[in-house]
Amino acid sequence: MLDRCFILNTPIFFDSIWEAEIKPHLSPKTIAKITITGESTHKDLQEKVDVNNLPNLYGGACECEATCVYSDKGPWADVENKINF
């Protein structure tokens, strides 16, 4: 059910954890849908998400203060989000 997954701003050690601990448990089809970068954005992310809906912190044009993480749209609405921007 995964269309695409972008993991951004990964620390240097993430690659070794990904390769050794996470990737072996995923199917090749799922792995092909995941993009990992240490950068704050990726050109594919900007092509997939409308720049007006993508916070500028991820290379978009949205100037909000990342209040979208508190949105009630999506499966995360059942979980209290404690991210403090």
Side-chain angles (χ1 to χ4, degrees):
M1 300 295 264
L2 178 67
D3 180 51
R4 287 297 304 259
C5 176
F6 295 92
I7 303 173
L8 308 173
N9 291 330
T10 58
I12 294 171
F13 62 85
F14 184 82
D15 283 338
S16 59
I17 293 172
W18 168 257
E19 291 292 331
E21 302 294 330
I22 302 169
K23 191 175 176 180
H25 300 286
L26 301 174
S27 72
K29 187 176 177 181
T30 300
I31 292 168
K33 297 176 183 181
I34 299 173
T35 301
I36 300 170
T37 180
E39 302 296 321
S40 62
T41 192
H42 191 274
K43 66 177 179 63
D44 291 343
L45 174 65
Q46 293 171 335
E47 291 173 6
K48 195 74 172 165
V49 179
D50 180 14
V51 292
N52 294 318
N53 295 329
L54 191 62
N56 60 7
L57 124 106
Y58 299 121
C62 178
E63 306 240 349
C64 68
E65 296 182 18
T67 56
C68 48
V69 297
Y70 299 106
S71 170
D72 61 357
K73 296 178 184 176
W76 53 86
D78 297 335
V79 180
E80 184 180 345
N81 193 330
K82 297 188 179 189
I83 297 173
N84 184 6
F85 288 97

